[in-house]
């Protein structure tokens, strides 16, 4: 009696090759021996040109079935000696692995599931091919041991037509949309398991077979001939923690490399979902870090792409709802076709760059964020929301005061100086439960990203948090001609402490309606080695600054608005201790204080990124 162990089953999808025909390996056992033959029919008519190679001996056979064209259904009869076996309702098309954790397994409301389609099939967890429908991951019948091991037991079989169930994932909608756009029958291998981490998906555990997640997935792929069209992945929630996020990128690289090695396809497509939002107690910081790794992955690994999900509705604190799982599945299908450059596909929106542009106010600038692969133009439902800016300190840590959308760009209105804008970091979708409503004409959202610097990495040191200062005095001279007092150390007996990085003198100022006023600041800083530095100052009045007695900045026309990094002065210093003096003046004493920090400009971007540089240090 012929028994097939892998490669050919009732209702299955055989993976096509690049010539759009099957090339299937069929393995099993039989009583007879000798050459095998095949007969194929389609709706009762014999199909010519199908070839079967291989022989049976010692009760085993290993056959190769070639030449069956994309489509079907086919009935395939194998004959070995006097034995025959007919496999019915077989299709030739594309087979995709569905893997990851609960949002891929399916946790959306069951009432919003897709209607089945006969040319989209699923290889369910009981190792049976059927027309694909939710729940695609029928854990209660799972063959592989790993699933009840992880779950702590086998779940109960849910009652039929129980609409309160939460079993809907993106897989069925993905397969149906992919078939609708390509006309190719689609097979789905259900391999996901809720709550699982990258360490549990370790491909080094492949040879454990059904006792490990990757081993079970590889077993299922091999059982169906060993070849697949690609992998559809949704995972990362369980790795959004301080210990695992640092390893996430490397683990993803190893996983993708393993899938490609074991599928014998170095260009195997890998499409993943960028984590959506959540309202749980999980950290927003590590969650954003995983999202940004997922966003950047296609730039590091070829033949991969990601699909954003931050805009999708939830059915609980962490799981995408059944209705929007259909939206997600359709996005995944179009991204797959876009990755292959096929008709009906598209690439998800990606961040192009961030530039500083004049704001329209004297000395002010805004940030212009440009995107690629925008269909039509960017738009929003109401006031555009989702962007967040910070300068890496507590001074700026909020959303821009206005966002304007035009074409493929979002203008972040901040109205800061150009140096201040260039030191900002931009995020989209920050935190645990961000409200993000910007999308293109086809409804595809901006991806979560950041924090991303608007310019190349910079070697900026910290703001001065304290300076010595003198008494406020009358001043009727020229700021350009102002000389550094010889007794500056004795002339600055008081200490100013920074509030939000501003060395603020407002509490001690005594406005004078008749006279200009002047105050000197002094601070010491040390350099562990010779350096080329820029001094950046922020202020709201005429200003002059000296380093080691040499004038480096003079702005006699300084005025409102106050802000960080309004002007700069460059100089070289030797290793050792140095002195900065700043004179701040203003009409009627209407000045507030100063911001001060250094930037090192004799180091490379690579050294900055690797954090191997030495910066000046302020001394209290």
């Amino acid at each position: 009696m012929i028994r097939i162990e892998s490669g050919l089953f009732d209702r299955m999808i055989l993976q096509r090759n690049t010539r759009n025909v099957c090339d299937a390996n069929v393995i099993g056992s039989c009583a007879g021996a000798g050459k095998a033959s095949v007969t194929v029919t389609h709706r009762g008519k014999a199909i010519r040109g199908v070839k079967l190679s291989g022989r049976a001996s010692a009760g085993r056979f290993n056959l190769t079935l070639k030449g069956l064209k994309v489509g079907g259904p086919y009935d395939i009869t194998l004959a070995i000696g006097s034995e025959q076996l007919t496999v019915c309702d077989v299709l030739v098309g594309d087979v995709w692995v569905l893997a990851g954790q609960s949002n891929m397994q399916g946790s959306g409301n069951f009432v919003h599931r897709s209607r089945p389609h006969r040319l989209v099939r699923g290889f369910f967890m009981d190792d049976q091919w059927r027309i694909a429908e939710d729940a695609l991951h029928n854990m209660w019948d799972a063959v592989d041991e790993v699933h009840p091991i992880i779950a702590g037991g086998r779940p109960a079989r849910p009652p039929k037509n129980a609409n309160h169930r939460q079993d809907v994932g993106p897989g069925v909608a993905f397969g149906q949309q992919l078939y609708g756009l390509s006309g190719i029958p689609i097979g789905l291998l259900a391999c996901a398991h809720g709550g699982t981490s990258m360490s549990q998906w370790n491909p080094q555990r492949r040879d454990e077979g059904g006792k490990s997640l990757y081993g079970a997935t590889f077993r299922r792929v091999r059982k169906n001939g060993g070849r697949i069209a690609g992998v559809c992945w949704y995972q990362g929630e369980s790795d959004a923690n301080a210990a695992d996020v640092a390893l996430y990128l490397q683990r993803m690289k190893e996983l993708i490399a393993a899938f490609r090695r074991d599928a014998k396809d170095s260009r195997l497509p890998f499409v993943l979902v960028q984590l959506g939002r959540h309202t749980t107690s999980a950290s927003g910081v590590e969650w954003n870090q995983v999202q940004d790794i997922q966003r950047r992955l296609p730039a590091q690994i070829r033949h991969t792409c990601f699909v954003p999900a931050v805009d999708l509705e939830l059915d609980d604190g962490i799981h995408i709802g059944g209705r929007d799982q259909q939206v997600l599945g359709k996005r995944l299908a179009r991204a797959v076709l876009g990755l292959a450059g096929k008709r009906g596909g598209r690439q998800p929106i990606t961040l192009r760059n961030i530039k500083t542009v004049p704001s329209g106010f004297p000395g002010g600038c805004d940030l212009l964020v440009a995107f690629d692969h925008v269909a039509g133009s960017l738009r929003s439902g109401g006031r555009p929301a989702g962007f967040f800016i910070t300068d890496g300190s507590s001074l700026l840590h909020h959303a821009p005061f206005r966002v304007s959308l035009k074409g493929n760009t979002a203008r972040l209105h901040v109205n800061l100086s150009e140096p201040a804008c260039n030191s900002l970091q931009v995020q989209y979708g920050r935190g645990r439960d961000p409200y993000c409503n910007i999308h293109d004409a086809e409804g595809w959202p901006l991806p979560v990203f950041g924090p991303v610097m608007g310019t190349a990495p910079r070697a900026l040191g910290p703001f001065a948090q304290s300076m010595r200062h003198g008494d406020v005095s009358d001043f009727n001279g020229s700021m350009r001609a102002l000389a550094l007092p010889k007794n500056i150390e004795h002339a600055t007996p008081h200490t100013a402490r920074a509030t939000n990085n501003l060395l603020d003198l407002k509490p001690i100022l005594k406005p004078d309606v008749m006279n200009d006023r002047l105050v000197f600041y002094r601070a010491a800083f040390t350099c562990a080695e010779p350096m080329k530095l820029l001094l950046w100052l922020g202020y709201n009045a005429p200003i002059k600054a000296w380093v080691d007695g040499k004038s480096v900045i003079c702005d006699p026309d300084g005025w409102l608005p106050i802000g960080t990094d309004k002007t700069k002065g460059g100089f070289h210093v030797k290793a050792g201790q140095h002195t900065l003096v700043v004179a701040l003046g203003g009409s009627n004493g209407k000045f507030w204080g100063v911001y001060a920090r250094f930037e090192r400009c004799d180091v490379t971007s690579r050294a900055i990124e690797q954090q191997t540089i030495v910066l000046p240090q302020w001394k209290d």
Side-chain angles (χ1 to χ4, degrees):
M1 181 178 179
I2 297 176
R3 295 180 181 272
I4 297 176
E5 298 170 3
S6 66
L8 187 63
F9 304 103
D10 291 338
R11 298 174 298 279
M12 83 173 293
I13 307 284
L14 292 173
Q15 177 61 44
R16 62 172 172 161
N17 61 21
T18 56
R19 298 183 300 279
N20 283 328
V21 295
C22 78
D23 187 0
N25 186 225
V26 184
I27 298 173
S29 62
C30 60
K35 188 176 180 180
S37 63
V38 64
T39 303
V40 180
T41 61
H42 172 59
R43 295 175 180 170
K45 295 183 179 180
I47 301 296
R48 298 181 181 275
V50 181
K51 298 180 180 179
L52 185 71
S53 59
R55 298 177 61 86
S57 63
R60 304 287 300 168
F61 63 84
N62 191 329
L63 311 175
T64 302
L65 178 67
K66 293 185 176 182
L68 202 57
K69 294 181 180 179
V70 164
Y74 302 106
D75 293 335
I76 303 171
T77 300
L78 301 180
I80 300 174
S82 60
E83 297 177 88
Q84 287 189 352
L85 176 66
T86 299
V87 180
C88 301
D89 194 17
V90 175
L91 301 172
V92 178
D94 282 336
V95 179
W96 283 82
V97 166
L98 306 179
Q101 54 184 115
S102 56
N103 269 305
M104 179 59 77
Q105 177 186 326
S107 295
N109 286 341
F110 196 64
V111 70
H112 299 302
R113 62 192 183 278
S114 299
R115 296 181 62 182
H117 191 288
R118 65 181 184 85
L119 296 183
V120 179
R121 310 279 177 88
F123 190 61
F124 288 72
M125 305 201 90
D126 58 0
D127 276 12
Q128 298 295 314
W129 281 95
R130 295 187 289 276
I131 294 175
E133 62 179 343
D134 292 303
L136 196 60
H137 289 78
N138 54 331
M139 289 286 179
W140 47 91
D141 285 331
V143 169
D144 292 299
E145 300 172 65
V146 65
H147 300 295
I149 290 174
I150 291 175
R154 192 175 296 276
R157 181 187 302 273
K160 289 186 177 181
N161 301 319
N163 289 334
H164 65 276
R165 290 162 49 190
Q166 288 186 292
D167 296 317
V168 178
V172 177
F174 163 73
Q176 291 179 358
Q177 179 78 344
L178 198 52
Y179 167 73
L181 292 172
S182 67
I184 305 297
I186 301 297
L188 307 168
L189 305 187
C191 302
H193 191 111
T196 52
S197 64
M198 288 299 294
S199 62
Q200 290 173 293
W201 279 95
N202 188 349
Q204 294 182 13
R205 299 180 62 187
R206 184 194 71 178
D207 294 339
E208 294 179 25
K211 293 183 179 180
S212 74
L213 285 170
Y214 186 84
T217 301
F218 177 66
R219 181 196 69 79
R220 292 167 67 73
V221 170
R222 189 168 53 183
K223 188 175 182 69
N224 287 284
R227 295 182 180 177
I228 53 177
V231 178
C232 193
W233 178 262
Y234 192 161
Q235 190 275 342
E237 298 95 332
S238 293
D239 288 80
N241 59 76
D244 289 316
V245 70
L247 303 172
Y248 192 77
L249 176 59
Q250 184 59 34
R251 286 171 169 171
M252 282 297 299
K253 289 180 176 180
E254 292 171 358
L255 182 72
I256 295 172
F259 270 118
R260 290 176 173 174
R261 175 199 66 212
D262 293 331
K264 296 180 175 60
D265 184 353
S266 63
R267 299 164 58 94
L268 185 76
F270 192 98
V271 56
L272 67 150
V273 181
Q274 185 185 46
L275 293 186
R277 62 188 181 90
H278 71 99
T279 61
T280 70
S281 60
S283 167
V285 174
E286 285 86 13
W287 198 276
N288 286 155
Q289 289 173 339
V290 171
Q291 289 169 317
D292 204 55
I293 292 169
Q294 292 169 332
R295 173 187 71 88
R296 294 183 285 109
L297 195 67
Q300 302 182 54
I301 305 177
R302 298 182 65 187
H303 312 299
T304 65
C305 68
F306 77 96
V307 171
V310 69
D311 61 322
L312 300 182
E313 182 182 68
L314 302 178
D315 272 350
D316 57 33
I318 202 169
H319 296 116
I320 292 176
R323 181 183 290 108
D324 276 5
Q325 285 282 20
Q326 318 305 312
V327 175
L328 178 59
K330 292 174 182 178
R331 286 180 186 170
L332 287 165
R334 294 196 63 195
V336 163
L337 293 175
L339 190 61
K342 298 292 181 65
R343 182 177 180 181
R346 66 158 290 173
Q347 297 183 57
I349 300 172
T350 55
L351 176 66
R352 178 190 294 176
N353 56 39
I354 303 173
K355 295 182 178 179
T356 301
V357 294
S359 67
F361 294 91
C365 289
D366 294 331
L367 295 170
L368 196 66
V369 187
F371 298 90
D372 289 320
H373 315 306
V374 174
S377 61
L378 294 178
R379 55 199 67 186
S380 64
R383 178 173 61 86
F387 283 102
F388 190 88
I389 55 173
T390 177
D391 67 351
S393 71
S394 59
L395 177 66
L396 282 173
H397 211 67
H398 52 68
F401 63 80
R402 187 169 74 249
V403 176
S404 301
L405 305 176
K406 183 178 180 181
N408 69 328
T409 63
R411 187 185 188 115
L412 311 187
H413 295 266
V414 293
N415 194 30
L416 297 172
S417 68
E418 181 177 2
C421 275
N422 285 339
S423 66
L424 292 178
Q425 298 176 351
V426 180
Q427 275 187 277
Y428 186 77
R430 178 182 181 271
R432 292 174 56 246
D433 185 23
Y435 178 67
C436 301
N437 67 349
I438 303 174
H439 54 86
D440 68 10
E442 294 184 349
W444 284 55
L446 297 184
V448 175
F449 67 82
V452 175
M453 289 291 295
T455 59
R458 298 171 63 191
L460 283 166
F463 286 98
Q465 296 301 305
S466 68
M467 279 190 178
R468 306 292 291 176
H469 72 89
D471 294 323
V472 179
S473 61
D474 292 342
F475 177 66
N476 294 312
S478 165
M479 186 64 75
R480 290 190 185 278
L482 181 67
L484 180 67
K486 294 182 179 180
N487 62 339
I488 189 63
E489 292 187 8
H490 295 93
T492 50
H494 312 297
T495 299
R497 301 289 180 184
T499 302
N500 290 333
N501 298 321
L502 175 65
L503 294 157
D504 192 355
L505 292 186
K506 289 196 300 293
I508 67 169
L509 291 178
K510 297 178 180 180
D512 188 319
V513 296
M514 299 299 295
N515 300 308
D516 286 350
R517 314 286 285 190
L518 181 72
V519 67
F520 284 95
Y521 289 89
R522 174 179 59 86
F525 65 97
T526 60
C527 298
E529 61 190 32
M531 307 179 180
K532 182 179 180 181
L533 298 176
L534 293 177
L535 167 66
W536 288 102
L537 293 179
Y539 47 91
N540 68 328
I543 199 166
K544 190 170 185 177
W546 299 261
V547 172
D548 295 338
K550 180 180 291 188
S551 176
V552 292
I553 291 175
C554 184
D555 181 6
D557 300 316
W559 196 239
L560 291 169
I562 194 168
T564 64
D565 305 329
K566 291 183 71 171
T567 194
K568 65 186 176 186
F571 53 93
H572 289 82
V573 292
K574 297 179 179 179
Q577 181 166 314
H578 306 275
T579 301
L580 166 68
V581 177
V582 178
L584 184 65
S587 176
N588 305 328
K590 293 179 180 178
F591 52 81
W592 294 352
V594 296
Y595 299 101
R597 61 175 169 177
F598 296 108
E599 179 179 4
R600 188 166 180 182
C601 48
D602 59 350
V603 291
T604 65
S605 295
R606 183 176 180 84
I608 298 171
E609 290 172 347
Q610 295 179 343
Q611 299 182 348
T612 58
I613 60 171
V614 177
L615 292 171
Q617 299 296 314
W618 296 103
K619 292 195 68 177
D620 291 331

